[in-house]
Amino acid sequence: MSKEAKLELEGKVYPLPTIEGSEGEKAMDISSLRANTGYITLDDGYGNTGSCISKITFIDGEKGILRYRGIPIEELAEKSTFIETAYLIIYGDLPTRAQLRKFSDLFTEYQFLHEDMKYHFESFPMGAHPMAILSAMINATSCFDEELMNWRWGKSNQFDVYAAKLISQVRTIAAYAYRKSRGLPLIYPKKAYKYTANFLHMMFSTPYEDFELKPEVVKALDLIFLLHADHEQNCSTSTVRMVASSQANLFASAAAGVCALWGPLHGGANQAVIEMLVEIHREGDDGSKFIAAAKDKNSGRRLMGFGHRVYKNYDPRAKIIKKACDEVLAKLRVSDPLLDIAKHLEEAALRDSYFVERKLYPNVDFYSGIIMRSLGIPVEMFPVIFAIGRMPGWIANYKEIMEDAKNRIARPRQIYAGRTLNHYVPLEERK
Ligand code: SDX
């Protein structure tokens, strides 16, 4: 079977080379399309457009498969930790004991922010959204690190340090943003605590007493981070790659990723799901009113946490989180009416032809907020938790671009539909 596609255009036939990935995904390479035909392609929302060849994460949306470097998310969720999985995603293999030790030691070494960054936190008003603070402070971090500010690819072997610094400090920045928003004193990280425990410590300890780090709480949050660690070319990761393609530094690219992730159609959905469930609960609706609104295009409502551009089956992460919801709430002896509403919504939607025909299933955001609520994390911090989890994926994608000798700056074309040739009209002649 010819591995070449043929495009017939205005009486001419143009060969298009094709590419097949390791899991059988196929693409037509249109890199020379415009030079050969004068045509470009147009693809609203890039639903049919591959931006890169990547070796990090594989998703089969039809089958509901997600693998990090070939390892199924179900196995990692059951057997791994967030930091071990972060190493796998960034460096391509599960770490040896020594590699994991070295990786963790870097987090301890770089977990403090430059002390002067404290004054930046003071400048944010109470109630500032922590995603705005997170993006601003990730960028600000590079202002306190001259080498990072002047980073030129290939001229610095500091990538591993910057990667560890970003993973470690995003946690510190997030916790400080939360404390600042509540007018609470900043809590410094502790050398003795591992990654996720230290984050909970910085979030919830007081100057007089350390937060009680219940193993089930630490494990549940670590699982949430792990499940968010990467997801191929989603909106925010594509943003990170776009910024990285100009050879901006790693922190600038990650700060841009935070902004893209914040939107309610993307990482902001976990916050929007809880706000939706609280509204349904407050109105005493059993969910059927809301589902009717979500199906009505004019209502401006969507069933948040449902649907996905790639998954046309159950998001495997949602399955894992739903199961963890029951386990964590039982262990913490928490009963949350929002969980019952969420389960009822899911059952009703999956029986409703509107959702079934459009293959709309729960995604990662549908149940994640309920676990985070049970851990005492405030709803405005939910997208921040997503950003902390996604940091290894952004770093791995940045590294892939940085190590690609053929990398070109990302610069899409457009089809212009505005006015044709026009001329300046002096002010006095304008009507
Ligand atoms: C994440 O890309 C990733 O990998 C993202 C992510 C990651 O890990 O990085 O998985 C994380 O962002 C998960 C998605 C979180 N967002 C939400 O839960 C918000 C609610 N979902 C939707 O807005 C929507 O489903 C998207 C944004 C997730 C996907 O949008 P698409 O692919 O552009 O689909 P679409 O808007 O074209 O919808 C197709 C149809 C439309 O109806 P018709 O015009 O065909 O009649 O399905 C309908 C939509 O109206 N639809 C919904 C719906 N989602 C889609 N209708 C009601 N409720 C919904 N949630």
Side-chain angles (χ1 to χ4, degrees):
M1 186 181 75
S2 151
K3 285 287 181 202
E4 213 172 50
K6 290 201 184 329
L7 177 66
E8 190 171 338
L9 209 50
E10 296 168 353
K12 287 177 79 176
V13 176
Y14 299 92
L16 284 177
T18 62
I19 293 169
E20 184 166 342
S22 55
E23 288 287 350
E25 296 168 308
K26 295 179 176 59
M28 285 176 278
D29 181 341
I30 58 168
S31 311
S32 322
L33 181 69
R34 189 171 185 276
N36 295 341
T37 70
Y39 278 66
I40 62 168
T41 58
L42 208 52
D43 183 18
D44 173 38
Y46 302 121
N48 304 281
T49 297
S51 62
C52 61
I53 294 174
S54 176
K55 298 179 177 174
I56 303 166
T57 290
F58 172 66
I59 299 175
D60 182 323
E62 281 64 35
K63 296 182 187 144
I65 290 173
L66 169 59
R67 297 184 198 138
Y68 295 156
R69 300 289 185 177
I71 301 179
I73 190 70
E74 295 80 3
E75 285 184 37
L76 292 166
E78 190 194 329
K79 300 170 183 166
S80 189
T81 64
F82 172 56
I83 291 309
E84 184 182 64
T85 297
Y87 188 99
L88 166 72
I89 287 171
I90 295 170
Y91 295 104
D93 293 303
L94 287 167
T96 62
R97 198 178 297 280
Q99 288 167 331
L100 190 56
R101 173 78 272 142
K102 185 163 172 267
F103 198 46
S104 300
D105 288 349
L106 281 173
F107 297 141
T108 305
E109 185 178 349
Y110 292 109
Q111 60 191 344
F112 285 87
L113 304 178
H114 188 293
E115 197 60 14
D116 290 350
M117 280 186 67
K118 244 177 19 176
Y119 303 111
H120 286 271
F121 283 98
E122 298 310 318
S123 63
F124 292 106
M126 289 280 280
H129 197 289
M131 285 294 266
I133 299 175
L134 188 67
S135 180
M137 297 305 274
I138 287 175
N139 240 333
T141 308
S142 58
C143 301
F144 292 87
D145 182 327
E146 202 180 329
E147 196 190 329
L148 178 58
M149 263 326 240
N150 303 318
W151 184 4
R152 290 294 168 265
W153 286 5
K155 297 217 173 0
S156 155
N157 57 1
Q158 288 292 309
F159 177 82
D160 296 346
V161 168
Y162 287 129
K165 203 174 207 181
L166 181 54
I167 294 175
S168 190
Q169 293 191 355
V170 69
R171 178 188 45 163
T172 311
I173 294 170
Y176 283 15
Y178 164 70
R179 305 283 297 184
K180 172 74 190 92
S181 72
R182 294 288 194 285
L184 298 170
L186 301 182
I187 298 291
Y188 283 47
K190 274 196 165 174
K191 188 176 167 71
Y193 290 155
K194 286 189 179 297
Y195 190 88
T196 301
N198 228 335
F199 173 68
L200 288 164
H201 160 66
M202 289 189 275
M203 282 277 289
F204 299 126
S205 291
T206 72
Y208 313 114
E209 193 181 27
D210 276 8
F211 176 69
E212 186 198 356
L213 292 165
K214 291 180 185 157
E216 58 271 18
V217 170
V218 178
K219 187 164 172 23
L221 184 56
D222 200 77
L223 173 65
I224 294 280
F225 286 150
L226 185 154
L227 291 172
H228 286 80
D230 192 49
H231 212 240
E232 56 134 282
Q233 301 312 312
N234 56 80
C235 177
S236 51
T237 300
S238 300
T239 302
V240 168
R241 285 184 85 108
M242 176 75 84
V243 174
S245 74
S246 73
Q247 300 195 6
N249 72 59
L250 177 63
F251 283 62
S253 301
V258 170
C259 297
L261 186 71
W262 192 0
L265 294 187
H266 190 14
N270 51 26
Q271 177 175 352
V273 167
I274 292 299
E275 290 163 352
M276 170 185 79
L277 295 175
V278 165
E279 182 191 331
I280 291 171
H281 183 52
R282 190 177 49 241
E283 292 183 0
D285 171 20
D286 65 358
S288 37
K289 236 169 68 187
F290 194 91
I291 283 185
K295 289 157 57 176
D296 171 7
K297 294 271 176 290
N298 305 317
S299 72
R301 313 304 298 267
R302 285 201 155 188
L303 187 54
M304 300 311 277
F306 250 71
H308 200 277
R309 173 63 58 77
V310 176
Y311 290 121
K312 300 308 168 193
N313 201 324
Y314 215 103
D315 181 334
R317 301 167 297 176
K319 254 187 215 155
I320 295 167
I321 292 178
K322 181 181 177 182
K323 180 167 170 283
C325 260
D326 290 329
E327 291 163 1
V328 171
L329 269 66
K331 277 187 187 158
L332 296 175
R333 292 195 178 77
V334 166
S335 92
D336 186 345
L338 301 191
L339 178 57
D340 302 331
I341 293 173
K343 286 182 175 176
H344 176 78
L345 274 178
E346 177 192 343
E347 281 155 28
L350 296 186
R351 281 199 306 268
D352 187 306
S353 59
Y354 173 93
F355 294 91
V356 173
E357 281 159 13
R358 292 169 177 80
K359 298 184 178 171
L360 303 175
Y361 292 87
N363 59 51
V364 68
D365 294 305
F366 192 63
Y367 287 105
S368 57
I370 292 172
I371 288 196
M372 291 192 268
R373 245 163 77 93
S374 74
L375 305 182
I377 294 168
V379 67
E380 70 276 10
M381 284 292 288
F382 289 2
V384 172
I385 300 297
F386 194 145
I388 295 173
R390 187 53 51 90
M391 214 45 84
W394 289 344
I395 291 169
N397 277 273
Y398 184 99
K399 186 169 184 283
E400 234 178 19
I401 285 200
M402 187 179 74
E403 291 172 350
D404 172 5
K406 296 192 308 305
N407 170 56
R408 302 171 72 210
I409 190 167
R411 202 277 185 217
R413 306 298 295 246
Q414 64 162 26
I415 293 294
Y416 176 69
R419 281 192 180 151
T420 51
L421 181 61
N422 199 357
H423 294 288
Y424 182 80
V425 176
L427 185 56
E428 57 279 6
E429 293 173 23
R430 290 175 214 156
K431 296 181 184 45

PDB file of all heavy atoms in Angstrom, residues 45-64:
ATOM      1  N   GLY A  45      -9.394  25.109  15.682  1.00  0.00           N
ATOM      2  CA  GLY A  45      -9.082  24.451  16.961  1.00  0.00           C
ATOM      3  C   GLY A  45      -8.060  23.340  16.820  1.00  0.00           C
ATOM      4  O   GLY A  45      -7.816  22.579  17.765  1.00  0.00           O
ATOM      5  N   TYR A  46      -7.457  23.231  15.675  1.00  0.00           N
ATOM      6  CA  TYR A  46      -6.384  22.246  15.426  1.00  0.00           C
ATOM      7  C   TYR A  46      -6.839  20.808  15.706  1.00  0.00           C
ATOM      8  O   TYR A  46      -6.048  19.964  16.110  1.00  0.00           O
ATOM      9  CB  TYR A  46      -5.160  22.539  16.289  1.00  0.00           C
ATOM     10  CG  TYR A  46      -4.571  23.911  16.081  1.00  0.00           C
ATOM     11  CD1 TYR A  46      -4.480  24.807  17.142  1.00  0.00           C
ATOM     12  CD2 TYR A  46      -4.134  24.315  14.830  1.00  0.00           C
ATOM     13  CE1 TYR A  46      -3.949  26.068  16.954  1.00  0.00           C
ATOM     14  CE2 TYR A  46      -3.602  25.584  14.646  1.00  0.00           C
ATOM     15  CZ  TYR A  46      -3.523  26.447  15.706  1.00  0.00           C
ATOM     16  OH  TYR A  46      -2.990  27.714  15.529  1.00  0.00           O
ATOM     17  N   GLY A  47      -8.127  20.531  15.488  1.00  0.00           N
ATOM     18  CA  GLY A  47      -8.616  19.179  15.804  1.00  0.00           C
ATOM     19  C   GLY A  47      -8.049  18.103  14.900  1.00  0.00           C
ATOM     20  O   GLY A  47      -8.064  16.925  15.234  1.00  0.00           O
ATOM     21  N   ASN A  48      -7.526  18.512  13.745  1.00  0.00           N
ATOM     22  CA  ASN A  48      -7.008  17.524  12.789  1.00  0.00           C
ATOM     23  C   ASN A  48      -5.542  17.758  12.478  1.00  0.00           C
ATOM     24  O   ASN A  48      -5.017  17.222  11.496  1.00  0.00           O
ATOM     25  CB  ASN A  48      -7.802  17.634  11.463  1.00  0.00           C
ATOM     26  CG  ASN A  48      -9.283  17.462  11.690  1.00  0.00           C
ATOM     27  OD1 ASN A  48      -9.765  16.352  11.835  1.00  0.00           O
ATOM     28  ND2 ASN A  48     -10.013  18.569  11.793  1.00  0.00           N
ATOM     29  N   THR A  49      -4.894  18.592  13.289  1.00  0.00           N
ATOM     30  CA  THR A  49      -3.531  19.024  12.962  1.00  0.00           C
ATOM     31  C   THR A  49      -2.545  18.576  14.033  1.00  0.00           C
ATOM     32  O   THR A  49      -2.771  18.814  15.212  1.00  0.00           O
ATOM     33  CB  THR A  49      -3.483  20.572  12.869  1.00  0.00           C
ATOM     34  OG1 THR A  49      -4.338  20.974  11.807  1.00  0.00           O
ATOM     35  CG2 THR A  49      -2.067  21.078  12.593  1.00  0.00           C
ATOM     36  N   GLY A  50      -1.502  17.847  13.573  1.00  0.00           N
ATOM     37  CA  GLY A  50      -0.443  17.475  14.515  1.00  0.00           C
ATOM     38  C   GLY A  50       0.615  18.565  14.511  1.00  0.00           C
ATOM     39  O   GLY A  50       1.057  19.002  13.443  1.00  0.00           O
ATOM     40  N   SER A  51       1.011  19.027  15.696  1.00  0.00           N
ATOM     41  CA  SER A  51       2.005  20.121  15.754  1.00  0.00           C
ATOM     42  C   SER A  51       3.418  19.575  15.873  1.00  0.00           C
ATOM     43  O   SER A  51       4.389  20.300  15.687  1.00  0.00           O
ATOM     44  CB  SER A  51       1.721  21.002  16.983  1.00  0.00           C
ATOM     45  OG  SER A  51       1.868  20.213  18.165  1.00  0.00           O
ATOM     46  N   CYS A  52       3.547  18.296  16.205  1.00  0.00           N
ATOM     47  CA  CYS A  52       4.911  17.785  16.462  1.00  0.00           C
ATOM     48  C   CYS A  52       4.886  16.269  16.469  1.00  0.00           C
ATOM     49  O   CYS A  52       3.813  15.651  16.471  1.00  0.00           O
ATOM     50  CB  CYS A  52       5.401  18.278  17.827  1.00  0.00           C
ATOM     51  SG  CYS A  52       4.382  17.718  19.211  1.00  0.00           S
ATOM     52  N   ILE A  53       6.072  15.698  16.469  1.00  0.00           N
ATOM     53  CA  ILE A  53       6.240  14.263  16.742  1.00  0.00           C
ATOM     54  C   ILE A  53       6.813  14.183  18.151  1.00  0.00           C
ATOM     55  O   ILE A  53       7.805  14.852  18.447  1.00  0.00           O
ATOM     56  CB  ILE A  53       7.210  13.618  15.718  1.00  0.00           C
ATOM     57  CG1 ILE A  53       6.580  13.652  14.317  1.00  0.00           C
ATOM     58  CG2 ILE A  53       7.540  12.187  16.128  1.00  0.00           C
ATOM     59  CD1 ILE A  53       7.518  13.180  13.207  1.00  0.00           C
ATOM     60  N   SER A  54       6.141  13.469  19.041  1.00  0.00           N
ATOM     61  CA  SER A  54       6.593  13.453  20.438  1.00  0.00           C
ATOM     62  C   SER A  54       6.667  12.019  20.954  1.00  0.00           C
ATOM     63  O   SER A  54       5.959  11.144  20.485  1.00  0.00           O
ATOM     64  CB  SER A  54       5.623  14.268  21.311  1.00  0.00           C
ATOM     65  OG  SER A  54       5.999  14.171  22.679  1.00  0.00           O
ATOM     66  N   LYS A  55       7.564  11.794  21.931  1.00  0.00           N
ATOM     67  CA  LYS A  55       7.737  10.443  22.488  1.00  0.00           C
ATOM     68  C   LYS A  55       7.283  10.359  23.938  1.00  0.00           C
ATOM     69  O   LYS A  55       7.581   9.402  24.640  1.00  0.00           O
ATOM     70  CB  LYS A  55       9.225  10.053  22.393  1.00  0.00           C
ATOM     71  CG  LYS A  55       9.748   9.986  20.966  1.00  0.00           C
ATOM     72  CD  LYS A  55      11.223   9.631  20.920  1.00  0.00           C
ATOM     73  CE  LYS A  55      11.686   9.507  19.456  1.00  0.00           C
ATOM     74  NZ  LYS A  55      13.155   9.310  19.377  1.00  0.00           N
ATOM     75  N   ILE A  56       6.589  11.386  24.414  1.00  0.00           N
ATOM     76  CA  ILE A  56       6.337  11.458  25.859  1.00  0.00           C
ATOM     77  C   ILE A  56       5.084  10.702  26.269  1.00  0.00           C
ATOM     78  O   ILE A  56       5.107   9.789  27.083  1.00  0.00           O
ATOM     79  CB  ILE A  56       6.239  12.947  26.287  1.00  0.00           C
ATOM     80  CG1 ILE A  56       7.511  13.689  25.894  1.00  0.00           C
ATOM     81  CG2 ILE A  56       5.981  13.057  27.801  1.00  0.00           C
ATOM     82  CD1 ILE A  56       7.389  15.198  25.950  1.00  0.00           C
ATOM     83  N   THR A  57       3.921  11.108  25.685  1.00  0.00           N
ATOM     84  CA  THR A  57       2.633  10.556  26.139  1.00  0.00           C
ATOM     85  C   THR A  57       1.838  10.062  24.949  1.00  0.00           C
ATOM     86  O   THR A  57       1.825  10.690  23.906  1.00  0.00           O
ATOM     87  CB  THR A  57       1.844  11.652  26.894  1.00  0.00           C
ATOM     88  OG1 THR A  57       2.499  11.907  28.130  1.00  0.00           O
ATOM     89  CG2 THR A  57       0.411  11.233  27.161  1.00  0.00           C
ATOM     90  N   PHE A  58       1.185   8.913  25.118  1.00  0.00           N
ATOM     91  CA  PHE A  58       0.296   8.363  24.087  1.00  0.00           C
ATOM     92  C   PHE A  58      -1.133   8.306  24.630  1.00  0.00           C
ATOM     93  O   PHE A  58      -1.362   7.810  25.741  1.00  0.00           O
ATOM     94  CB  PHE A  58       0.739   6.960  23.678  1.00  0.00           C
ATOM     95  CG  PHE A  58      -0.246   6.268  22.771  1.00  0.00           C
ATOM     96  CD1 PHE A  58      -0.493   6.752  21.496  1.00  0.00           C
ATOM     97  CD2 PHE A  58      -0.983   5.164  23.223  1.00  0.00           C
ATOM     98  CE1 PHE A  58      -1.415   6.137  20.654  1.00  0.00           C
ATOM     99  CE2 PHE A  58      -1.912   4.548  22.402  1.00  0.00           C
ATOM    100  CZ  PHE A  58      -2.134   5.035  21.106  1.00  0.00           C
ATOM    101  N   ILE A  59      -2.048   8.845  23.823  1.00  0.00           N
ATOM    102  CA  ILE A  59      -3.481   8.768  24.183  1.00  0.00           C
ATOM    103  C   ILE A  59      -4.203   8.096  23.023  1.00  0.00           C
ATOM    104  O   ILE A  59      -3.987   8.455  21.861  1.00  0.00           O
ATOM    105  CB  ILE A  59      -4.089  10.177  24.365  1.00  0.00           C
ATOM    106  CG1 ILE A  59      -3.384  10.955  25.487  1.00  0.00           C
ATOM    107  CG2 ILE A  59      -5.586  10.073  24.687  1.00  0.00           C
ATOM    108  CD1 ILE A  59      -3.886  12.396  25.613  1.00  0.00           C
ATOM    109  N   ASP A  60      -5.057   7.102  23.335  1.00  0.00           N
ATOM    110  CA  ASP A  60      -5.991   6.604  22.330  1.00  0.00           C
ATOM    111  C   ASP A  60      -7.373   7.025  22.816  1.00  0.00           C
ATOM    112  O   ASP A  60      -7.930   6.416  23.736  1.00  0.00           O
ATOM    113  CB  ASP A  60      -5.894   5.080  22.189  1.00  0.00           C
ATOM    114  CG  ASP A  60      -6.841   4.555  21.102  1.00  0.00           C
ATOM    115  OD1 ASP A  60      -7.970   5.117  20.990  1.00  0.00           O
ATOM    116  OD2 ASP A  60      -6.475   3.608  20.390  1.00  0.00           O
ATOM    117  N   GLY A  61      -7.908   8.088  22.231  1.00  0.00           N
ATOM    118  CA  GLY A  61      -9.164   8.677  22.711  1.00  0.00           C
ATOM    119  C   GLY A  61     -10.347   7.775  22.520  1.00  0.00           C
ATOM    120  O   GLY A  61     -11.285   7.777  23.308  1.00  0.00           O
ATOM    121  N   GLU A  62     -10.311   6.945  21.468  1.00  0.00           N
ATOM    122  CA  GLU A  62     -11.438   6.049  21.198  1.00  0.00           C
ATOM    123  C   GLU A  62     -11.468   4.923  22.239  1.00  0.00           C
ATOM    124  O   GLU A  62     -12.528   4.512  22.680  1.00  0.00           O
ATOM    125  CB  GLU A  62     -11.327   5.444  19.787  1.00  0.00           C
ATOM    126  CG  GLU A  62     -11.783   6.388  18.655  1.00  0.00           C
ATOM    127  CD  GLU A  62     -10.919   7.649  18.534  1.00  0.00           C
ATOM    128  OE1 GLU A  62      -9.703   7.555  18.763  1.00  0.00           O
ATOM    129  OE2 GLU A  62     -11.479   8.723  18.233  1.00  0.00           O
ATOM    130  N   LYS A  63     -10.284   4.458  22.632  1.00  0.00           N
ATOM    131  CA  LYS A  63     -10.256   3.342  23.587  1.00  0.00           C
ATOM    132  C   LYS A  63     -10.075   3.800  25.045  1.00  0.00           C
ATOM    133  O   LYS A  63     -10.047   2.990  25.961  1.00  0.00           O
ATOM    134  CB  LYS A  63      -9.117   2.376  23.215  1.00  0.00           C
ATOM    135  CG  LYS A  63      -9.303   1.691  21.857  1.00  0.00           C
ATOM    136  CD  LYS A  63      -8.176   0.714  21.583  1.00  0.00           C
ATOM    137  CE  LYS A  63      -8.261   0.157  20.141  1.00  0.00           C
ATOM    138  NZ  LYS A  63      -6.904  -0.035  19.569  1.00  0.00           N
ATOM    139  N   GLY A  64      -9.853   5.111  25.251  1.00  0.00           N
ATOM    140  CA  GLY A  64      -9.646   5.585  26.625  1.00  0.00           C
ATOM    141  C   GLY A  64      -8.330   5.093  27.200  1.00  0.00           C
ATOM    142  O   GLY A  64      -8.251   4.655  28.339  1.00  0.00           O
TER     143      GLY A  64
END
